Amino acid sequence: MKLYYVYIVQCKDNSFYIGITNDLERRIYEHNIGLKEDSYTFNRKPVSLKWFETFADPNEAIKIEKQLKGWSRRKKIALIEENWNKLIEYSKNYTQFGNNTEK
């Protein structure tokens, strides 16, 4: 069975990149050697893997990747840190908590 990985890497500039792959080790290596000059991570190397989830269904992986890309930075950090209380808090009502630029 083929597996798919949705992952979050942290770049040198502290930004996050979210992607999907069927070979996580290879993909992180590719980010760090910089295969494509026009890619987001090319000028933000090195990257470090902060979180990943494994999926058997590629459609489910794509759905989760798109969902995570829409999340705020602090919500991504809560996921990475496995801080479920904060993740729930930031999910309840975005307008109540505002667009915090917390790093």
Side-chain angles (χ1 to χ4, degrees), residues 31 33-45:
H31 281 299
I33 64 169
L35 289 179
K36 298 179 184 174
E37 286 187 39
D38 62 340
S39 70
Y40 181 81
T41 59
F42 186 81
N43 290 317
R44 294 172 172 88
K45 309 184 285 282

Side-chain angles (χ1 to χ4, degrees), residues 66-79:
K66 288 179 180 180
Q67 179 182 26
L68 294 178
K69 285 183 175 186
W71 283 11
S72 66
R73 177 178 177 80
R74 67 183 179 175
K75 195 169 173 183
K76 292 171 191 169
I77 291 170
L79 175 65

Side-chain angles (χ1 to χ4, degrees), residues 8-19:
I8 301 175
V9 293
Q10 187 168 12
C11 302
K12 179 177 71 174
D13 67 358
N14 235 8
S15 64
F16 292 124
Y17 175 82
I18 298 171

Side-chain angles (χ1 to χ4, degrees), residues 45-63:
K45 309 184 285 282
V47 303
S48 59
L49 181 64
K50 294 298 180 180
W51 177 90
F52 73 92
E53 186 70 44
T54 308
F55 298 87
D57 179 356
N59 294 315
E60 183 67 17
I62 292 166
K63 181 179 123 184

